[in-house]
Amino acid sequence: MSPALSRGHFIGIALMQSPSENRYQVRQAGGLSDIAAALQLRSQVFRGKSGDSDADMFDSVCTHILIEEAKSGTLVCCFRLLRLQDGREIGQSYAAQFYDLSQLAGYAGSMVEMGRFCIRPGLSDPDILRVAWGAMTDFVDYEGVDLLFGCSSFQGTDAGAYLDAFALLKDRHIAPKRWLPRVKAPKVFPFVARLRRKVDIKKARLAMPPLLKSYLMMGGWVSDHAVVDEDMGTLHVFTGLEIGRVPAGRARVLRASGRPKLHPS
């Protein structure tokens, strides 16, 4: 498995051009205490009242990104990044546990998997997501990444609550056939076989997780089925974004001068 970004680099303070300018800082986790803070937030978001740890075998090989309030140092968002040289390493990803990614094994470009993205419950400031995407863009540029991918999660395991959202994904956002993930997980909700209904676009978009919306707005695509993840209590779809296909206008916004910068120490 490819190593994470070396500890000799870090992501600096984010200067967002917004009313909350300078409110957040984003950086790479620098030690065990930072990882512990990320795990605590992840456990709160993904494990709920059970209090179970969210740690897994991927944590030791990933780059962990923390977004904090600049004044208080409170962690408001975190995610992790796993760098892969090309499609030959796709089987080493977290997503490969749930999806047959053999189609992507022939992908010639470099990849990064984004996982365990979470925002502290109760926070709704859109600048947090903008800061996160700015940091992600910097990482992608710095590492020369061609494909960004991960699992986008819907809360709960009742697919009936998301029929409009899944129908919209089926109609407009399914992955190209040459990259399409196949079924691997024991329990899935297939889009093609079950979704034959008129889509309520407004309801569908409201049901979409914010992170998934961001992927789709940039030209991202998804699997043709959702995995029912009983352990996490979610439904999730494989999500991919080919960097070279991001619309030029959106790419310019992400690369604007106010976004976080990745510097050598």
Side-chain angles (χ1 to χ4, degrees):
M1 185 174 291
S2 300
L5 188 68
S6 72
R7 298 299 180 188
H9 299 83
F10 68 93
I11 294 177
I13 294 178
L15 302 177
M16 304 302 295
Q17 301 303 310
S18 71
S20 57
E21 185 174 317
N22 299 327
R23 184 176 178 185
Y24 301 108
Q25 64 183 16
V26 53
R27 63 187 178 87
Q28 180 182 333
L32 293 178
S33 61
D34 283 342
I35 300 297
L39 286 172
Q40 183 177 34
L41 178 57
R42 281 166 40 183
S43 295
Q44 182 181 357
V45 172
F46 297 123
R47 302 295 175 174
K49 296 179 180 179
S50 72
D52 294 340
S53 172
D54 191 54
D56 65 21
M57 64 182 181
F58 294 92
D59 286 323
S60 63
V61 293
C62 286
T63 296
H64 297 262
I65 305 301
L66 311 179
I67 299 175
E68 303 162 321
E69 287 188 340
K71 289 184 178 180
S72 66
T74 300
L75 182 63
V76 297
C77 175
C78 66
F79 56 93
R80 68 186 185 189
L81 304 170
L82 177 64
R83 181 78 159 81
L84 304 174
Q85 294 300 317
D86 54 37
R88 291 172 298 179
E89 296 185 341
I90 194 72
Q92 300 172 29
S93 67
Y94 174 86
Q97 299 176 104
F98 306 98
Y99 303 89
D100 176 349
L101 302 178
S102 55
Q103 295 283 90
L104 281 164
Y107 191 88
S110 60
M111 304 174 166
V112 67
E113 180 179 38
M114 177 169 66
R116 288 302 198 265
F117 183 95
C118 61
I119 295 176
R120 184 171 295 280
L123 297 182
S124 58
D125 186 349
D127 276 350
I128 297 174
L129 189 57
R130 282 194 281 268
V131 169
W133 274 108
M136 179 72 62
T137 301
D138 200 60
F139 185 96
V140 163
D141 285 349
Y142 188 89
E143 292 288 302
V145 172
D146 298 300
L147 177 69
L148 173 66
F149 71 94
C151 300
S152 297
S153 298
F154 294 76
Q155 289 299 313
T157 57
D158 177 14
Y162 300 110
L163 292 181
D164 286 287
F166 291 160
L168 184 61
L169 291 178
K170 183 199 75 170
D171 290 346
R172 302 186 183 182
H173 302 290
I174 296 298
K177 186 174 292 186
R178 67 186 184 279
W179 307 133
L180 186 64
R182 296 169 178 165
V183 173
K184 180 178 182 179
K187 190 173 182 180
V188 304
F189 182 84
F191 296 166
V192 176
R194 300 188 184 185
L195 297 176
R196 298 182 180 180
R197 62 201 306 273
K198 185 176 180 180
V199 182
D200 183 327
I201 301 296
K202 183 177 180 180
K203 187 175 180 180
R205 288 175 176 163
L206 285 173
M208 295 274 190
L211 185 65
L212 177 57
K213 288 181 185 177
S214 296
Y215 268 112
L216 299 179
M217 288 173 64
M218 289 185 285
W221 39 257
V222 301
S223 53
D224 61 2
H225 62 282
V227 169
V228 182
D229 191 333
E230 301 285 2
D231 177 54
M232 298 291 290
T234 62
L235 294 152
H236 56 74
V237 294
F238 182 93
T239 311
L241 176 64
E242 296 172 80
I243 305 304
R245 295 181 178 272
V246 175
R250 296 200 180 278
R252 283 194 296 272
V253 170
L254 288 171
R255 294 186 173 96
S257 59
R259 68 183 176 87
K261 299 296 181 182
L262 189 65
H263 307 280
S265 58

